[in-house]
Amino acid sequence: NYLRISPFSSFLFSLAPWIPVVGLEIHAQISSNSKLFSGSQVQFAAPPNSLVSFFDASLPGTLPVLNRRCVEAAVMTGLALNCSINKKSLFDRKHYFYADLPAGYQITQQRVPIAVNGSLSYSLCIDNKMSQMVTKTVRIKQIQLEQDSGKSLHDDTRCQTLVDLNRAGVGLMEVVMEPDMCCGEEAAAAVRELQLILQTLGSSQAVMAEGQLRVDANVSVHHPGEPYGVRTEVKNINSIRFLAKAVDYEIQRQIEELENGGTILNETRAFDSKLGCTVPMRDKEGKQDYRFMPEPNLPPLILYDTKSLPANVNHQQVINIDWIQERLPDLPSVKREKLVEQYGILPEHSFTLLNEDGLAEFFESVVKQTQMKPKKVIGWILNDLLSYLKQHSLTVKERSV
Ligand SMILES: *[C@@H]1O[C@H](CO)[C@@H](O)[C@H](O)[C@H]1NC(C)=O
Ligand SMILES: *[C@@H]1O[C@H](CO)[C@@H](O)[C@H](O)[C@H]1NC(C)=O
Ligand SMILES: *[C@@H]1O[C@H](CO)[C@@H](O)[C@H](O)[C@H]1NC(C)=O
Ligand SMILES: *[C@@H]1O[C@H](CO)[C@@H](O)[C@H](O)[C@H]1NC(C)=O
């Protein structure tokens, strides 16, 4: 795909194909009623600064109180992604100065995150043919719990920056994937599968348009047998389609730059969705020293499994990893397998059914109520229902058929 013959480079060099390397970092807002360390409500699009406690605004004397629900959501997510859950994890302060971070630091898990060493399998089709699907796996390096920042709103006409702290302190899971992907389509498919898993678990609503799932991508290119090239980081991509475009644009840009004798700067870039290209970002983080230090106001986070659970323990006060494991719902991959097995439908159709919220359930209820052949129902869904919904901009749940 990425073989380029350049008239300026040596013969050997020009025949060597480029290998793109893509790694992702995903921030998922945890679906919970209150923030990670305070009792303020979590809600999208509430009036500015209406969901801010003294702790969120960093008033002196306020202390963090860890939200159990956020920890459970992270454990659930870690287990679903085949991670080892650390029975002891630690909180750290990451310092940087920005108007939407009143404390001057973010509480995160730098030294020991809650979950490590997982994997995510995802499928994608070759040449856009649904009938030729391949399954790939990306390793999950770690999942850490951390606070979201507030939002800065730049009002260019009045030369002002306004700060909204509603988002400050909302719980995030940062999912770090190893650079096991090699194009925009793979990155997009991996994030889509992660999104479906989070939504199935209920650990995040993962709506990208509402900023509940935000993706950063590391991109580099190199020749076979050579070390990885210098990487650029494309930040804050907020749709799956843009992710695929941003990654592919960046790969192409780097190859062209290198083939024209240029070099790649290890810089941060942003995707301009209107122009369809990545542009260097004025970097708020730059070559900063984050001055990580242990968070003194939070003890280590201790989790148990059934074996290590002390006797006479108050179950309201501890989290048992095995208990959560036993209650994990069927993940999308398992649901697809069951649909194929139970109804004899094609694997690619099981992907279509799971791709829309509520569609698989609708399919099952139609089969049950009409006693029609599952394949007929699938045909009707693919040919009639989905195009009808699309035409009228409706979701499956909003249909009136
Ligand atoms: C995770 O993997 C790393 C590298 O393979 C290993 O050193 C570490 O012990 C693993 N951690 C756990 C908790 O399995
Ligand atoms: C976890 O690992 C199993 C076995 O390797 C695999 O079948 C499953 O798809 C993995 N889970 C995810 C979310 O990829
Ligand atoms: C990119 O790589 C650097 C260095 O390994 C790492 O610190 C950063 O978190 C990575 N970012 C993404 C988006 O993977
Ligand atoms: C990125 O560039 C800085 C200097 O600009 C350098 O110190 C750092 O090692 C570079 N990192 C990588 C991964 O190339």
Side-chain angles (χ1 to χ4, degrees), residues 45-52 151 153 162-167:
N49 295 309
S50 60
L51 309 172
V52 186
K151 264 186 191 160
L153 309 158
L162 305 168
V163 176
D164 177 5
L165 292 182
N166 281 352
R167 204 179 67 176

Side-chain angles (χ1 to χ4, degrees), residues 184-197:
E185 209 190 337
E186 286 191 8
V191 170
R192 177 62 182 141
E193 189 67 13
L194 175 67
Q195 185 182 38
L196 285 174
I197 290 172

Side-chain angles (χ1 to χ4, degrees), residues 232-297:
T232 58
E233 188 167 356
V234 187
K235 286 248 188 208
N236 279 324
I237 305 164
N238 59 8
S239 97
I240 289 182
R241 203 163 47 88
F242 290 163
L243 170 62
K245 281 190 174 170
V247 166
D248 285 338
Y249 176 87
E250 189 54 25
I251 290 170
Q252 214 49 57
R253 184 190 71 82
Q254 291 187 11
I255 291 174
E256 273 163 32
E257 185 72 41
L258 291 169
E259 300 214 326
N260 290 326
T263 51
I264 304 301
L265 301 176
N266 71 0
E267 63 188 352
T268 308
R269 300 176 71 90
F271 181 64
D272 184 323
S273 55
K274 287 202 192 80
L275 299 177
C277 66
T278 66
V279 290
M281 213 160 92
R282 225 189 60 227
D283 205 339
K284 79 172 172 190
E285 292 167 17
K287 288 164 209 108
Q288 278 212 36
D289 177 1
Y290 290 124
R291 294 178 294 121
F292 282 105
M293 60 173 263
E295 165 58 55
N297 294 323

Side-chain angles (χ1 to χ4, degrees), residues 175-210:
V175 180
V176 183
M177 294 183 180
E178 299 280 5
D180 294 340
M181 291 150 286
C182 70
C183 63
E185 209 190 337
E186 286 191 8
V191 170
R192 177 62 182 141
E193 189 67 13
L194 175 67
Q195 185 182 38
L196 285 174
I197 290 172
L198 296 173
Q199 289 168 345
T200 303
L201 297 172
S203 60
S204 170
Q205 287 167 20
V207 178
M208 292 190 86
E210 295 185 1

